[in-house]
Amino acid sequence: MVREARVENIFRYAHIFPRCVAMLSSGAIDVKPLITRTFAFDDSVRAFEIAASAPKGDVKMQIAIPQ
């Protein structure tokens, strides 16, 4: 019992993904203010290193994929 592990799964976001996508595509919510940094695809490794250090004040970082 000393090394016992208990794993629980809670799926609290059931059935809301389609609604969120619809709100984003309609412009009902704007997530742009949440993106605090954008990195070029070539800087992906650097982006992950910075994200792993969890800089204070950063909310979301995105990697721009070339099209």
PDB file of all heavy atoms in Angstrom, residues 9-16:
ATOM      1  N   ASN A   9      -9.636   9.742 -14.059  1.00  0.00           N
ATOM      2  CA  ASN A   9      -9.829  10.519 -15.274  1.00  0.00           C
ATOM      3  C   ASN A   9     -11.150  11.270 -15.174  1.00  0.00           C
ATOM      4  O   ASN A   9     -12.174  10.684 -14.845  1.00  0.00           O
ATOM      5  CB  ASN A   9      -9.831   9.595 -16.491  1.00  0.00           C
ATOM      6  CG  ASN A   9      -9.931  10.362 -17.780  1.00  0.00           C
ATOM      7  OD1 ASN A   9      -9.599  11.534 -17.837  1.00  0.00           O
ATOM      8  ND2 ASN A   9     -10.380   9.713 -18.823  1.00  0.00           N
ATOM      9  N   ILE A  10     -11.087  12.538 -15.432  1.00  0.00           N
ATOM     10  CA  ILE A  10     -12.300  13.362 -15.421  1.00  0.00           C
ATOM     11  C   ILE A  10     -12.406  14.027 -16.779  1.00  0.00           C
ATOM     12  O   ILE A  10     -11.496  14.731 -17.205  1.00  0.00           O
ATOM     13  CB  ILE A  10     -12.253  14.427 -14.308  1.00  0.00           C
ATOM     14  CG1 ILE A  10     -12.138  13.742 -12.949  1.00  0.00           C
ATOM     15  CG2 ILE A  10     -13.474  15.329 -14.380  1.00  0.00           C
ATOM     16  CD1 ILE A  10     -11.874  14.688 -11.815  1.00  0.00           C
ATOM     17  N   PHE A  11     -13.494  13.808 -17.452  1.00  0.00           N
ATOM     18  CA  PHE A  11     -13.703  14.387 -18.776  1.00  0.00           C
ATOM     19  C   PHE A  11     -14.741  15.491 -18.644  1.00  0.00           C
ATOM     20  O   PHE A  11     -15.923  15.307 -18.889  1.00  0.00           O
ATOM     21  CB  PHE A  11     -14.161  13.306 -19.769  1.00  0.00           C
ATOM     22  CG  PHE A  11     -14.096  13.763 -21.197  1.00  0.00           C
ATOM     23  CD1 PHE A  11     -12.884  13.984 -21.812  1.00  0.00           C
ATOM     24  CD2 PHE A  11     -15.254  13.969 -21.912  1.00  0.00           C
ATOM     25  CE1 PHE A  11     -12.813  14.416 -23.132  1.00  0.00           C
ATOM     26  CE2 PHE A  11     -15.198  14.402 -23.229  1.00  0.00           C
ATOM     27  CZ  PHE A  11     -13.978  14.616 -23.829  1.00  0.00           C
ATOM     28  N   ARG A  12     -14.300  16.646 -18.210  1.00  0.00           N
ATOM     29  CA  ARG A  12     -15.235  17.736 -17.922  1.00  0.00           C
ATOM     30  C   ARG A  12     -15.564  18.601 -19.130  1.00  0.00           C
ATOM     31  O   ARG A  12     -16.411  19.461 -19.056  1.00  0.00           O
ATOM     32  CB  ARG A  12     -14.695  18.592 -16.798  1.00  0.00           C
ATOM     33  CG  ARG A  12     -13.414  19.298 -17.154  1.00  0.00           C
ATOM     34  CD  ARG A  12     -12.932  20.149 -16.022  1.00  0.00           C
ATOM     35  NE  ARG A  12     -11.684  20.772 -16.424  1.00  0.00           N
ATOM     36  CZ  ARG A  12     -10.795  21.224 -15.598  1.00  0.00           C
ATOM     37  NH1 ARG A  12     -11.003  21.140 -14.325  1.00  0.00           N
ATOM     38  NH2 ARG A  12      -9.697  21.767 -16.030  1.00  0.00           N
ATOM     39  N   TYR A  13     -14.863  18.391 -20.231  1.00  0.00           N
ATOM     40  CA  TYR A  13     -15.095  19.227 -21.397  1.00  0.00           C
ATOM     41  C   TYR A  13     -15.904  18.503 -22.470  1.00  0.00           C
ATOM     42  O   TYR A  13     -15.800  18.805 -23.645  1.00  0.00           O
ATOM     43  CB  TYR A  13     -13.768  19.701 -21.991  1.00  0.00           C
ATOM     44  CG  TYR A  13     -12.958  20.524 -21.016  1.00  0.00           C
ATOM     45  CD1 TYR A  13     -11.764  20.054 -20.496  1.00  0.00           C
ATOM     46  CD2 TYR A  13     -13.408  21.769 -20.602  1.00  0.00           C
ATOM     47  CE1 TYR A  13     -11.027  20.799 -19.595  1.00  0.00           C
ATOM     48  CE2 TYR A  13     -12.678  22.521 -19.698  1.00  0.00           C
ATOM     49  CZ  TYR A  13     -11.489  22.039 -19.203  1.00  0.00           C
ATOM     50  OH  TYR A  13     -10.775  22.778 -18.321  1.00  0.00           O
ATOM     51  N   ALA A  14     -16.680  17.536 -22.063  1.00  0.00           N
ATOM     52  CA  ALA A  14     -17.454  16.742 -23.018  1.00  0.00           C
ATOM     53  C   ALA A  14     -18.413  17.618 -23.817  1.00  0.00           C
ATOM     54  O   ALA A  14     -19.112  18.469 -23.264  1.00  0.00           O
ATOM     55  CB  ALA A  14     -18.230  15.660 -22.287  1.00  0.00           C
ATOM     56  N   HIS A  15     -18.405  17.449 -25.104  1.00  0.00           N
ATOM     57  CA  HIS A  15     -19.376  18.051 -26.025  1.00  0.00           C
ATOM     58  C   HIS A  15     -19.281  19.571 -26.174  1.00  0.00           C
ATOM     59  O   HIS A  15     -20.215  20.186 -26.675  1.00  0.00           O
ATOM     60  CB  HIS A  15     -20.809  17.667 -25.627  1.00  0.00           C
ATOM     61  CG  HIS A  15     -20.982  16.215 -25.365  1.00  0.00           C
ATOM     62  ND1 HIS A  15     -20.829  15.246 -26.340  1.00  0.00           N
ATOM     63  CD2 HIS A  15     -21.259  15.549 -24.216  1.00  0.00           C
ATOM     64  CE1 HIS A  15     -21.024  14.066 -25.807  1.00  0.00           C
ATOM     65  NE2 HIS A  15     -21.280  14.201 -24.527  1.00  0.00           N
ATOM     66  N   ILE A  16     -18.185  20.206 -25.747  1.00  0.00           N
ATOM     67  CA  ILE A  16     -18.109  21.659 -25.912  1.00  0.00           C
ATOM     68  C   ILE A  16     -17.173  22.084 -27.042  1.00  0.00           C
ATOM     69  O   ILE A  16     -17.191  23.243 -27.428  1.00  0.00           O
ATOM     70  CB  ILE A  16     -17.708  22.382 -24.608  1.00  0.00           C
ATOM     71  CG1 ILE A  16     -16.296  22.013 -24.185  1.00  0.00           C
ATOM     72  CG2 ILE A  16     -18.693  22.108 -23.502  1.00  0.00           C
ATOM     73  CD1 ILE A  16     -15.742  22.921 -23.128  1.00  0.00           C
TER      74      ILE A  16
END
